[in-house]
Amino acid sequence: MIAYTLRRLLQMIPLLFFVSLAIYTLVALQPGDPLEGLIFQNPHLTQEDIAKLKAAYGLDQPIHIRYFKWLGRALQGDLGLSRTYAQPAAQFIYGRMQNTLLLTGLSFLLALAVAIPVGVFSAVRQYSIADYVVTFFSFVGYSTPVFWLGIMLMLLFAVWLPERLGRFEPIFPAGGFVSPGVSPDTVGWWAYLKDRAWYLVLPVFTLSVLSMAGWTRFTRSSMLEVLQQDYIRTARSKGLSERVVIYKHALRNALIPIVTLVGLAIPGLFSGAVITETIFSWPGMGRALFDSLLEKDYNVAMAALVFLAFLTALFNLLADLAYAVVDPRIRYN
Amino acid sequence: MASNVNAKNVERGESTWQLAWRRFRKHRMAQFSMIVIVILVAASLVAPLLVSLGWIPDPNEQPSGANLKAYYFLPPGSEGHLLGTDELGRDVFSRILFGGRISLLVGFSVAIVSVIIGTVIGALAGFFSGRPFDFYAGPFSKRLREMVAEGSLAAFGLALGLGLLALGLLGSLAVAGQTGAFWIASVLVALGVLALNLFGVFGAHLSRMTWTVLSWGILGGTAWLIWDITRTLALPSIGAGGVNGALSTVGLVAGGAAALALLAWGLIGQLKLDLDIVISRLIDFMLSIPTLPLLLVLSAFLNDSRSPLGRFAQGVFGESASVFIIISILIIFGWITSARLVRGQILSLREQEFSMAAYALGASEPRIMFRHLVPNTLAPIIVDATLAVGTAILVEAALSFLGFGIQPPVPTWGNMLTGAQDFIFYAPHLAIYPGLMILITVLAFNYMGDGLRDALDPRSQL
């Protein structure tokens, strides 16, 4: 097991090298360079000035040289400066990551808390009306475009319902993450937290619907498969109560594939949700990545993407290891 | 119970597909979904006809004359506009119909091409797992084996180098946007092959190789020409989409993939690598790149006329270039799911008795793979393809919504929603209907996939 883990960790090195090379090439190959806007805004710049600027940013060199320079600095822990935000890229990403983890973490927990009980319930009562309702809604949840769902919720809670109820304030705000002027110092901690939670409701729900629906279906089918096994019949024939059969014998086995699925979803928590963040103007990682790519802020884009690639590889490994822990039949060598 | 079922089927003389159809009919939602899909396809097909009959306005027609503002943001049910008009006074219903054409075009072509590519790659990886890849077929391979035996790697290197040179020429000429370039490049490739023959690279297979290359060149050239004529005649009148669009995309992507596959095939065979390991590493690699940002970068790169590929796409497809760019990008990521699926299936199938029996009867490896093993994976492949249609439609919509997918003025359900968020206070219908269409379409494909899964699974009960 330790040898296997070490080997997988070592394999991550060439993987990350190629991933970072591919990402760098793609980002750098994009048409136009980062100085374009600057040059456009200032007609007084001469060709000489532009050449000087390019040299200062290292843009006059070919892509592979720039990549290895970036790699050399990154290996020493220097991820460079963000050009658009005028602060170290690492610091900027760290700040955005906190916002994002709040949003994605909450929706991850919400999805799990709903999906597993509902999936188990629906499997235990297979072919009942409740099962059909759950199945229908999980299909709908799985087929809804996230961006449309966000806009519809906004329409419902920020436009229609307030209109019907004749109130000026939206029931849940249509975007942002804290009311203007609200901070722990001005209104106290409790009111501050309440305000933040008020802004979180719609984005968290929007973001959780897809994984909620997917995991419900997955839990249901995994449970159904386990419930057909011989050891469940044995457990029932021993006279165990239905509760013990389902929660102790069936659920624990049904959770094995779910562990993998959920483990693989964790890197996504860090990458943020470009679409949800865009709709609800949430200053998170997804948006940061999106903007840095648009504005050709290479250092931010590279730091974020390579960090995410590292997390994906790491959680792939952890999911495999967790699989071996929860299912002793699996051995790696 | 299973034996009873079988006995009944034997009595009736029911084929597998009849049985599957009977099971499918039990799944009411799946049947209903199939009707929905048929209606959607029919509506997309007749949309241009409805415009020429004057029953619905043109999707890109903007009002003209005095008092323009009276035509903007008309609510649903206004005279002549079933679902109202948008911020430029264009008819929303008509745009939704035309958007459906694009969505279905993207969904179907991405699903079909990526499932075919994924199946072939997955089958090869699974079948040759655990040993060096040596899938050689045709005249070229025997000579290659001999060359390996002789140690004349240099000859192979030369062939590869000259081949790449020819490909490069083809690429650079094609970027210039000239149809004639294809002919020049074909001649160059043929000359290259002849030149290599002089070096004796192909040995005794001189005449056969030359003929093969030349006949493929002529076939390809004719196909290109036919397509070029259809494109210039048909594309302006039907906008993006349409049969020629789908065909040419499929052709271009398949051609590119085939060229890459040939190159990889030669290299992997030459280096005696295990194809399964190569493919698994490639999949690991592709899965470790965060998908959405990569999609964004790729489509920004390809949609920009300043990049060579973008210039090429716009030269060939004109206004609707982004449709084909998105289709290609989605295929680049789409094959992974089906490749993994098929690989897993083949890995277990190749150990079963019927495959041993085929070996014992002396069947060749390609025959065992494509006649005995792959048909057994057909059920999950069909289900996967159905679900892939829905996924492709969703991803296209998301990309277009963010402004990186299909570019206006070509209407799609995704890009119709891009501006809609700004107008939800006074024109909510702009946001509601396109999204509703995406939901209905994707839901229909997902239910249909579910019904097919039940119908095609031999373990499912009647």
Side-chain angles (χ1 to χ4, degrees):
Chain A
M1 193 84 161
I2 292 171
Y4 173 79
T5 314
L6 280 178
R7 201 172 67 230
R8 285 281 299 264
L9 282 174
L10 278 179
Q11 280 173 358
M12 273 165 64
I13 297 173
L15 181 76
L16 283 177
F17 172 75
F18 283 116
V19 168
S20 64
L21 180 63
I23 295 172
Y24 196 91
T25 315
L26 263 176
V27 173
L29 269 181
Q30 285 202 83
D33 64 51
L35 298 176
E36 217 163 47
L38 199 67
I39 296 168
F40 185 73
Q41 281 166 6
N42 189 347
H44 299 298
L45 282 177
T46 59
Q47 285 302 321
E48 225 170 85
D49 296 333
I50 293 171
K52 258 189 213 158
L53 268 173
K54 281 200 169 165
Y57 281 103
L59 292 168
D60 53 343
Q61 284 157 341
I63 290 173
H64 61 277
I65 306 272
R66 271 151 65 191
Y67 170 72
F68 282 108
K69 281 195 171 165
W70 175 85
L71 186 67
R73 283 198 308 269
L75 285 178
Q76 292 164 31
D78 175 18
L79 291 170
L81 285 171
S82 158
R83 208 166 25 77
T84 31
Y85 300 96
Q87 55 174 312
Q91 191 189 328
F92 170 68
I93 285 172
Y94 179 72
R96 285 301 184 94
M97 191 76 82
Q98 288 176 325
N99 287 338
T100 274
L101 279 179
L102 179 67
L103 176 67
T104 53
L106 280 176
S107 65
F108 178 81
L109 291 180
L110 176 68
L112 264 190
V114 174
I116 291 182
V118 171
V120 170
F121 171 84
S122 160
V124 170
R125 287 182 177 67
Q126 197 188 6
Y127 301 133
S128 69
I129 292 180
D131 179 34
Y132 280 116
V133 172
V134 168
T135 307
F136 178 74
F137 276 104
S138 57
F139 263 106
V140 172
Y142 205 68
S143 313
T144 312
V146 175
F147 50 100
W148 183 68
L149 179 71
I151 298 177
M152 287 301 107
L153 287 175
M154 220 183 259
L155 193 60
L156 185 66
F157 289 106
V159 184
W160 277 348
L161 277 181
E163 247 172 44
R164 288 287 136 81
L165 300 174
R167 51 183 269 185
F168 181 69
E169 283 242 301
I171 298 186
F172 294 113
F177 72 115
V178 68
S179 301
V182 172
S183 77
D185 303 329
T186 51
V187 292
W189 272 102
W190 180 237
Y192 173 72
L193 284 181
K194 254 174 43 182
D195 187 71
R196 291 293 302 262
W198 190 50
Y199 277 89
L200 269 167
V201 175
L202 289 189
V204 165
F205 181 74
T206 307
L207 196 54
S208 63
V209 163
L210 187 70
S211 35
M212 205 190 279
W215 292 345
T216 305
R217 280 195 61 66
F218 200 77
T219 310
R220 178 179 177 272
S221 57
S222 173
M223 250 329 246
L224 282 178
E225 186 141 349
V226 169
L227 284 173
Q228 286 173 357
Q229 301 290 323
D230 290 337
Y231 57 79
I232 297 298
R233 198 180 309 135
T234 312
R236 286 211 175 104
S237 62
K238 279 198 302 189
L240 294 179
S241 70
E242 194 61 19
R243 174 190 291 269
V244 174
V245 171
I246 286 169
Y247 292 103
K248 204 155 172 209
H249 291 245
L251 181 59
R252 284 178 68 170
N253 281 298
L255 281 179
I256 294 172
I258 299 172
V259 167
T260 312
L261 198 72
V262 169
L264 294 181
I266 291 179
L269 301 185
F270 294 84
S271 70
V274 182
I275 294 169
T276 314
E277 286 170 12
T278 304
I279 298 169
F280 292 102
S281 357
W282 187 271
M285 270 300 282
R287 199 62 224 180
L289 203 50
F290 187 76
D291 290 340
S292 67
L293 288 173
L294 276 185
E295 284 154 15
K296 307 192 174 63
D297 198 345
Y298 297 149
N299 284 334
V300 173
M302 279 306 287
L305 285 169
V306 173
F307 179 60
L308 292 174
F310 167 71
L311 283 178
T312 313
L314 187 69
F315 278 95
N316 255 320
L317 172 62
L318 287 180
D320 282 349
L321 293 180
Y323 208 63
V325 171
V326 289
D327 188 351
R329 286 169 299 187
I330 291 171
R331 298 214 187 291
Y332 296 115
N333 42 36
Chain B
M1 195 160 98
S3 62
N4 283 342
V5 170
N6 285 336
K8 209 164 72 189
N9 296 334
V10 169
E11 240 169 72
R12 282 198 201 167
E14 199 173 33
S15 77
T16 322
W17 298 108
Q18 282 170 323
L19 178 70
W21 174 242
R22 200 151 54 80
R23 282 184 180 145
F24 187 73
R25 303 247 335 230
K26 301 234 156 162
H27 198 309
R28 283 204 209 111
M29 282 308 281
Q31 258 190 295
F32 181 65
S33 301
M34 206 169 78
I35 297 170
V36 170
I37 292 170
V38 169
I39 293 174
L40 284 169
V41 171
S44 313
L45 285 179
V46 298
L49 191 71
L50 295 182
V51 171
S52 54
L53 284 175
W55 292 8
I56 56 171
D58 187 273
N60 285 324
E61 184 188 284
Q62 294 178 24
S64 52
N67 197 14
L68 277 178
K69 286 211 169 125
Y71 298 101
Y72 295 162
F73 298 117
L74 290 178
S78 310
E79 197 192 341
H81 300 290
L82 190 61
L83 293 179
T85 58
D86 68 1
E87 72 274 19
L88 293 175
R90 297 172 298 191
D91 184 63
V92 172
F93 180 69
S94 169
R95 287 181 74 72
I96 282 183
L97 277 188
F98 277 82
R101 286 163 71 80
I102 307 289
S103 285
L104 291 175
L105 172 75
V106 170
F108 282 126
S109 34
V110 168
I112 292 170
V113 178
S114 48
V115 166
I116 290 175
I117 295 176
T119 303
V120 172
I121 292 180
L124 288 171
F127 192 77
F128 290 101
S129 174
R131 64 183 162 112
F133 182 64
D134 58 351
F135 184 71
Y136 287 129
F140 195 33
S141 61
K142 207 172 162 193
R143 178 63 192 147
L144 254 182
R145 269 187 184 161
E146 284 166 18
M147 273 167 55
V148 174
E150 289 162 12
S152 58
L153 263 173
F156 184 71
L158 193 66
L160 199 69
L162 280 178
L164 282 176
L165 193 71
L167 268 179
L169 280 172
L170 180 104
S172 59
L173 286 170
V175 168
Q178 293 159 358
T179 314
F182 182 81
W183 290 103
I184 301 170
S186 301
V187 172
L188 279 176
V189 174
L191 280 180
V193 174
L194 279 174
L196 290 175
N197 267 322
L198 291 181
F199 285 101
V201 174
F202 300 125
H205 299 283
L206 172 119
S207 54
R208 217 171 144 182
M209 267 308 296
T210 316
W211 276 115
T212 318
V213 170
L214 281 181
S215 48
W216 277 108
I218 290 165
L219 262 180
T222 320
W224 182 283
L225 204 66
I226 292 172
W227 167 69
D228 196 55
I229 294 164
T230 343
R231 173 179 68 85
T232 41
L233 286 182
L235 259 189
S237 59
I238 59 169
V243 180
N244 61 331
L247 281 180
S248 55
T249 311
V250 171
L252 276 183
V253 173
L260 274 179
L262 275 177
L263 199 67
W265 174 36
L267 272 179
I268 292 169
Q270 196 71 8
L271 298 173
K272 289 185 179 298
L273 295 175
D274 183 344
L275 179 71
D276 191 31
I277 292 178
V278 176
I279 296 292
S280 303
R281 287 290 161 277
L282 179 66
I283 291 178
D284 281 353
F285 168 74
M286 294 194 67
L287 291 181
S288 0
I289 307 176
T291 322
L292 199 61
L294 189 65
L295 286 178
L296 296 179
V297 177
L298 262 180
S299 67
F301 175 53
L302 290 175
N303 272 322
D304 195 307
S305 55
R306 282 171 299 177
S307 74
L309 274 169
R311 209 158 45 235
F312 171 68
Q314 282 174 7
V316 176
F317 297 112
E319 204 173 62
S320 47
S322 52
V323 178
F324 304 101
I325 289 169
I326 287 302
I327 291 177
S328 321
I329 292 177
L330 293 184
I331 290 170
I332 293 176
F333 289 90
W335 63 272
I336 295 179
T337 328
S338 26
R340 292 169 108 189
L341 182 84
V342 174
R343 174 186 170 268
Q345 295 266 326
I346 297 280
L347 271 179
S348 84
L349 285 172
R350 69 170 189 179
E351 304 298 334
Q352 289 187 13
E353 282 88 350
F354 71 89
S355 121
M356 297 294 133
Y359 267 111
L361 287 169
S364 70
E365 284 191 331
R367 189 184 170 83
I368 294 173
M369 186 161 48
F370 290 111
R371 303 283 303 196
H372 294 262
L373 301 185
V374 171
N376 272 299
T377 63
L378 216 54
I381 291 175
I382 292 173
V383 175
D384 179 52
T386 317
L387 300 177
V389 177
T391 315
I393 292 177
L394 269 185
V395 178
E396 179 273 308
L399 280 177
S400 299
F401 169 72
L402 289 172
F404 281 86
I406 293 166
Q407 306 295 317
V410 178
T412 80
W413 294 337
N415 72 20
M416 286 172 76
L417 284 165
T418 307
Q421 195 185 347
D422 303 335
F423 310 123
I424 57 169
F425 287 96
Y426 46 96
H429 65 278
L430 291 183
I432 296 172
Y433 298 108
L436 204 58
M437 290 308 294
I438 304 175
L439 171 60
I440 291 171
T441 313
V442 178
L443 190 60
F445 277 105
N446 282 345
Y447 258 119
M448 197 157 122
D450 193 53
L452 286 173
R453 194 197 318 265
D454 285 355
L456 296 172
D457 182 4
R459 287 178 307 171
S460 76
Q461 294 164 354
L462 279 174

